[in-house]
Amino acid sequence: MSGHSSHPDYLGHHYDTPEQQFDSGSLGMWLFLATEVLLFAGLFCAYAIYRSHHPEIFLYAHQYLDKNMGALNTAVLIFSSFTMAMAVRMAQLGKNNHVVTLLTITLLCGFGFLGVKKVEYEAKWKHGLLWGKKFHPEEHSAGAHGTEALHDAGVTTAAGVTTAAGVATAAGGAGASHDTGASHDAAAMPAGATDHGAAPATGGSTAAPVGINPANADPMAVRSNIAPPPAGPAGLAENAFEPKQKVNSHATPKERPSNVHIFFGIYFLMTGLHGVHVIAGMSAIAWVLWRTMKGHFSAQYSTPVHLVGLYWHLVDLVWIYLFPLLYLVG
Amino acid sequence: MSANHTTYGGGTPGAPAWEQDNYLNHTHGLKSWLTTLDHKRIGLMYLICILASFLLGGLFALLVRTEHLTPGRTIVDADLYNQYFTLHGAVMIFLFIIPGIPAALGNFVLPLMLGAKDVAFPRLNLTSWYLWVIGAIFSVVTIALGGVDTGWTFYTPYSTTTATHVIPVTLGVFILGFSSIFTGLNFIVTIHKLRPKGMTWFKMPLFLWAVYATALIQVLATPVLGITLLLLIAERAMGIGIFDPALGGDPVLFQHFFWFYSHPAVYIMILPAMGVISEVIAPFSRKTIFGYKFIAYSSIAIAAFGFLVWGHHMFTSGQSALGNMLFSALTFSVSIPSAIKVFNWLSTMYKGSISLKTPMLYALAFMFLFGIGGLTGLFLGALAVDVHLHDTYFVVAHFHYVMFGGTVIAFLAGLHYWWPKMFGRMYSEKWGAVACALIFIGFNVTFFTQFVLGSQGMPRRYYNYLPMYTSYHQISTVGSYIMGLGFVICAIYLAHSLLAGKKAAANPWGSVTLEWRTPPIPPHDNFDKTPLAGDPYDYSQVRWDAKTGGYVWVDEQSSAAVAG
Ligand SMILES: [Cu+2]
């Protein structure tokens, strides 16, 4: 500012050299990334605590996440990290045309990620697979719900495919709730039931016994308000599954030990916070894209591209942890 | 760095150059302040804001104390009382103490001490200030809506069930948290990258070590508070079942998350205070600081230990016995670096030539009060004793001795120490001493009494109390009025100083850190030429100059003589 003949425009007046400015910017961004990691760390910590206290919730509920969608998004973000890294390199070389192309691709990847996420969220919303108080899966037509479970059961061939699966086909008779995907649902169900039974510590779970004892008609009775009671052996499979959901319903607060909604609460918090970061990252990319097109950067100075690149990599990295932790439990 | 202009502004005969062009009058108008990137102006803007917050928090404190003049209702009912103590705590902690020394005094002083023109990211610095303002607006909105009554700790499950306005205030604190994070980040980078030639880490003024350690905590702990508050908001608004036991959540998890930030936050509050004391003790003893490296390292040690002791707030929350023992032992270990600092300050004073100017008076008050605050912390860190004292007035007295007797007193020491540099004016030493004495006496009357109350079993935050506590409560309330009077006097003579104070010399105290190399009021750009850093505590670098009523630098004198 004050008459340095060698003070280029891009250099802040309080810096002596471009190197000093670049180093300061990088250190600042790394520190900021550290705070971002710590922000997510709180959620990872909550995840770890609830997962270790209630593994059955996670094993059961993760099946309702769509692994294919998750994997697709992982691929999209990894690819976008690659294009971002290339953009930073090209910026350093001063090849601004390439930078514009690469940043645009990165930005489009961001939109792609959000689009897939939207599809996933909508499916959850439709089936009432939401957090805490909003978790009302049984109130929704479980047609698509079943399809989702179908996905998962198909892909994972989940842990507990037991004899119940065979009987379960008839559970389609459970009507409203489980028409199309019933058999697949059932395939996944016993896993839930077993887990549930395995963790009575969470508070007086009666689900497992009910599941294997068709004679116990009590939950059935309650259930029948919502769907026609299945007859015969079908009831067995139906039972194996339904208490799982039923105990989450608000009608029976005493029997809420399984608390499956906690998984969805954590899922929405983690992916939601991450989504906010994706949007922030995309805004930053749009900003450097605009500046590149305006010709603000050159081989001598492209620090903002570099810093935004660092940020975008962190956003991707967080997802790389979220994907297995949420989608690939087991 | 190449040098250029050596005069500031036009040069009307009579007025010295620094009066015609300095950072206060470099540009004019409200807009030039609200859009300024100058760290000194941002520091002043923080100062004004946090002093307003201090006034607000102080008024709530006086209301709380007044309510306790009699058992039962004195002036307000219980619900309002709950809001008063909550707002007193929240305003004082989040709006005043945490940003107090680093953001207000630190912003002003830190680049000057480094011989730099500004902090590393001036725009981010201004952003921090705006975030502070937005956070403060949320708090004011909360008050306008009808307050909040959870206590400043927002413990679940009460905070997820109370009908008062938890969400706006927690959002406000969340935003204030990011203000604090960005300030810390800025300071870390500034200290790393903008130190002048000759200033190695161990030639930095100790205030910078303290601010650096503070900034580390700000950056590493505050995000956890941020996510905790987001979770609390999500729990309250959406019922996610993380903290709410009715939904399968764990309310004690909230306490863990909260204290993982809020214990280190205690050091965000006290470390910069210790830094101020290190800066004040040495020049007013005319002696180099004793045990420089120990003081520097102990700041880092306090910051590091501070992350490992949060569980001492939860001895009675059903933590495991092993956890309690570990947290207790670690808590004791924090006292070691703190004590090292106190011993070093005392040794600095030993055989020094002590001048009892107002900043030094506050520094002495700090050592006395922080000593009591720190030692009573050990009572509370001891498991068996804590069971008796937990959530009593003993705890209230303890943390006021640390937070008020420590941080606020050090803030006052720093304010009086750097006042001449900020405004180019001196204040009345006589009234300074009177106010300091009143605050010191009033403080002890208020809070020493509360140690007694607490050890006799008076629980904190209660609206009502047994008649046996009446006289203690009354003494305590009278003490708070004495303190209030001290602050009123302080405000009056400082205002007088601004308007009609004696003009300050460039270096009235004879300190040798770099900020005292600038003219009485620093220019917009701080230094024409990056100054060469010497030993920050070698007082042979300056000598008294009766003509200017301040100290002058020996090297500048001799070079001026050569030039002349
Ligand atoms: Cu603590």
Side-chain angles (χ1 to χ4, degrees):
Chain A
M1 296 280 244
S2 43
H4 294 273
S5 50
S6 62
H7 217 90
D9 281 343
Y10 58 79
L11 187 59
H13 81 289
H14 54 301
Y15 290 114
D16 292 340
T17 61
E19 292 75 43
Q20 190 187 27
Q21 173 164 299
F22 177 82
D23 289 350
S24 300
S26 295
L27 179 61
M29 182 47 85
W30 280 107
L31 281 168
F32 181 64
L33 297 187
T35 68
E36 292 282 42
V37 168
L38 283 159
L39 189 73
F40 278 99
L43 289 177
F44 280 112
C45 197
Y47 174 96
I49 287 165
Y50 282 100
R51 172 130 185 225
S52 72
H53 285 186
H54 306 289
E56 74 284 358
I57 294 177
F58 288 76
L59 277 172
Y60 171 79
H62 90 278
Q63 305 173 85
Y64 292 90
L65 301 188
D66 190 325
K67 279 182 202 59
N68 295 330
M69 296 277 203
L72 174 64
N73 259 350
T74 310
V76 167
L77 279 194
I78 290 176
F79 178 71
S80 78
S81 246
F82 169 72
T83 53
M84 188 75 227
M86 290 295 290
V88 172
R89 182 74 197 128
M90 289 302 148
Q92 283 165 352
L93 298 175
K95 296 183 177 167
N96 283 343
N97 289 340
H98 291 81
V99 178
V100 170
T101 315
L102 288 162
L103 285 180
T104 308
I105 296 174
T106 314
L107 200 54
L108 289 176
C109 287
F111 280 113
F113 177 89
L114 291 178
V116 173
K117 208 71 223 152
K118 177 168 173 285
V119 172
E120 282 190 80
Y121 276 6
E122 272 175 353
K124 300 285 169 302
W125 185 267
K126 212 159 88 193
H127 307 136
L129 293 171
L130 299 173
W131 53 86
K133 290 172 183 164
K134 289 223 177 233
F135 184 74
H136 295 300
E138 72 278 2
E139 284 170 13
H140 297 260
S141 97
H145 172 238
T147 322
E148 226 176 83
L150 174 147
H151 262 297
D152 294 325
V155 175
T156 50
T157 330
V161 185
T162 66
T163 49
V167 205
T169 346
S177 302
H178 298 287
D179 28 284
T180 52
S183 66
H184 297 280
D185 262 9
M189 282 159 210
T194 335
D195 293 332
H196 192 173
T202 51
S205 149
T206 51
V210 170
I212 45 171
N213 179 11
N216 185 340
D218 182 32
M220 298 287 302
V222 183
R223 166 78 192 137
S224 66
N225 293 334
I226 306 161
L236 186 133
E238 180 60 19
N239 258 349
F241 179 54
E242 283 312 316
K244 189 67 193 171
Q245 293 195 340
K246 216 184 66 58
V247 292
N248 292 304
S249 93
H250 281 233
T252 52
K254 216 36 195 153
E255 289 179 77
R256 203 186 278 145
S258 59
N259 287 317
V260 171
H261 64 84
I262 286 182
F263 176 86
F264 292 102
I266 288 175
Y267 165 79
F268 277 102
L269 280 170
M270 288 183 123
T271 55
L273 188 66
H274 176 259
V276 169
H277 280 78
V278 170
I279 293 169
M282 287 166 61
S283 313
I285 291 170
W287 173 66
V288 287
L289 178 60
W290 177 79
R291 288 195 65 182
T292 312
M293 295 197 292
K294 282 269 170 187
H296 289 184
F297 303 131
S298 62
Q300 283 75 44
Y301 176 68
S302 63
T303 314
V305 184
H306 169 79
L307 299 183
V308 169
L310 286 178
Y311 184 78
W312 188 251
H313 292 319
L314 177 90
V315 171
D316 295 352
L317 191 68
V318 170
W319 178 258
I320 304 249
Y321 281 96
L322 289 183
F323 175 57
L325 285 178
L326 292 170
Y327 290 72
L328 308 177
V329 180
Chain B
M1 294 294 296
S2 59
N4 40 34
H5 55 207
T6 43
T7 56
Y8 316 104
T12 321
W18 61 265
E19 271 194 75
Q20 293 170 32
D21 182 27
N22 55 51
Y23 82 98
L24 291 171
N25 63 11
H26 184 69
T27 48
H28 297 277
L30 186 64
K31 190 171 166 248
S32 79
W33 280 80
L34 293 178
T35 56
T36 185
L37 300 180
D38 180 356
H39 68 97
K40 301 182 290 302
R41 285 190 167 195
I42 294 172
L44 275 200
M45 286 172 1
Y46 265 117
L47 185 66
I48 292 164
C49 290
I50 65 157
L51 287 177
S53 309
F54 183 67
L55 180 66
L56 183 67
L59 288 176
F60 282 122
L62 289 176
L63 286 170
V64 166
R65 280 316 320 161
T66 304
E67 172 52 43
H68 281 318
L69 271 174
T70 62
R73 185 190 162 103
T74 309
I75 51 167
V76 293
D77 62 15
D79 284 334
L80 212 49
Y81 167 81
N82 288 348
Q83 298 186 8
Y84 285 169
F85 78 71
T86 299
L87 289 166
H88 162 66
V91 168
M92 282 297 195
I93 288 179
F94 296 115
L95 289 175
F96 170 65
I97 299 188
I98 289 180
I101 296 180
L105 300 180
N107 244 319
F108 185 88
V109 168
L110 180 133
L112 288 170
M113 275 188 161
L114 286 171
K117 287 183 191 300
D118 212 320
V119 292
F121 310 117
R123 229 175 254 111
L124 186 67
N125 201 17
L126 185 65
T127 309
S128 300
W129 183 76
Y130 276 103
L131 286 174
W132 185 97
V133 171
I134 296 169
I137 288 172
F138 270 91
S139 313
V140 173
V141 164
T142 309
I143 296 170
L145 285 174
V148 61
D149 65 350
T150 58
W152 76 278
T153 48
F154 310 119
Y155 269 18
T156 54
Y158 185 69
S159 57
T160 54
T161 51
T162 172
T164 56
H165 304 276
V166 177
I167 290 182
V169 76
T170 40
L171 263 179
V173 173
F174 178 80
I175 295 165
L176 289 172
F178 274 88
S179 166
S180 178
I181 287 173
F182 290 143
T183 301
L185 188 152
N186 222 331
F187 286 0
I188 292 177
V189 176
T190 308
I191 290 174
H192 267 277
K193 299 295 177 193
L194 296 182
R195 270 177 292 128
K197 276 207 186 69
M199 190 185 283
T200 59
W201 281 90
F202 289 104
K203 280 191 177 170
M204 283 200 311
L206 286 163
F207 181 68
L208 296 184
W209 274 100
V211 169
Y212 183 77
T214 308
L216 283 179
I217 307 176
Q218 285 177 303
V219 166
L220 297 179
T222 317
V224 178
L225 176 75
I227 195 67
T228 308
L229 294 175
L230 281 186
L231 285 170
L232 177 59
I233 291 169
E235 186 71 87
R236 204 177 149 85
M238 300 157 39
I240 45 162
I242 297 270
F243 299 135
D244 185 353
L247 292 168
D250 180 356
V252 179
L253 182 64
F254 177 84
Q255 296 185 22
H256 277 289
F257 276 12
F258 182 80
W259 289 113
F260 181 83
Y261 163 76
S262 291
H263 185 82
V266 170
Y267 298 112
I268 294 179
M269 306 177 213
I270 196 69
L271 272 170
M274 293 167 157
V276 170
I277 299 305
S278 299
E279 290 312 314
V280 170
I281 292 273
F284 290 99
S285 303
R286 307 299 319 147
K287 218 174 132 237
T288 191
I289 195 96
F290 183 87
Y292 174 96
K293 281 199 178 180
F294 282 94
I295 297 182
Y297 278 130
S298 63
S299 288
I300 303 296
I302 288 174
F305 280 128
F307 278 97
L308 307 173
V309 300
W310 77 89
H312 65 208
H313 295 270
M314 302 162 59
F315 287 157
T316 60
S317 300
Q319 234 171 191
S320 75
L322 177 68
N324 278 349
M325 254 165 64
L326 287 174
F327 280 124
S328 176
L330 285 164
T331 301
F332 280 103
S333 71
V334 182
S335 63
I336 298 169
S338 310
I340 286 176
K341 282 184 191 284
V342 176
F343 290 136
N344 281 305
W345 294 325
L346 290 175
S347 309
T348 305
M349 286 163 59
Y350 179 67
K351 286 191 173 171
S353 148
I354 296 170
S355 72
L356 293 174
K357 294 278 168 53
T358 310
M360 186 62 170
L361 291 176
Y362 279 110
L364 294 175
F366 172 95
M367 281 198 278
F368 184 83
L369 301 177
F370 176 74
I372 294 178
L375 290 173
T376 50
L378 295 181
F379 293 35
L380 294 167
L383 286 173
V385 184
D386 185 65
V387 172
H388 175 66
L389 295 176
H390 183 82
D391 266 356
T392 66
Y393 267 65
F394 192 93
V395 179
V396 177
H398 156 70
F399 71 70
H400 278 90
Y401 265 84
V402 179
M403 296 293 91
F404 195 115
T407 309
V408 179
I409 296 291
F411 171 77
L412 290 169
L415 185 65
H416 285 86
Y417 177 63
W418 284 302
W419 184 269
K421 187 57 56 189
M422 289 175 155
F423 302 107
R425 303 272 185 171
M426 302 304 285
Y427 44 81
S428 159
E429 282 292 338
K430 189 182 80 191
W431 285 107
V434 169
C436 180
L438 283 174
I439 292 169
F440 181 78
I441 293 165
F443 177 85
N444 281 299
V445 172
T446 308
F447 290 107
F448 202 86
T449 320
Q450 297 190 4
F451 279 127
V452 183
L453 268 175
S455 59
Q456 291 186 358
M458 173 74 207
R460 70 190 283 201
R461 291 178 172 174
Y462 275 34
Y463 173 65
N464 204 347
Y465 55 84
L466 297 173
M468 61 178 281
Y469 299 125
T470 309
S471 52
Y472 289 117
H473 271 298
Q474 287 171 346
I475 294 170
S476 180
T477 302
V478 169
S480 71
Y481 295 158
I482 298 174
M483 244 194 300
L485 179 65
F487 280 110
V488 169
I489 293 175
C490 189
I492 292 172
Y493 72 75
L494 287 180
H496 177 265
S497 152
L498 279 185
L499 300 171
K502 190 169 97 35
K503 287 202 174 117
N507 190 353
W509 315 124
S511 307
V512 292
T513 40
L514 293 179
E515 75 270 28
W516 303 103
R517 282 204 184 251
T518 60
I521 304 180
H524 173 71
D525 263 347
N526 294 354
F527 301 95
D528 298 320
K529 197 174 143 212
T530 310
L532 211 60
D535 183 329
Y537 300 104
D538 172 10
Y539 294 101
S540 67
Q541 295 174 75
V542 291
R543 60 168 190 76
W544 173 253
D545 176 43
K547 212 163 61 211
T548 56
Y551 287 76
V552 288
W553 295 79
V554 175
D555 58 354
E556 283 173 11
Q557 280 261 304
S558 51
S559 64
V562 170

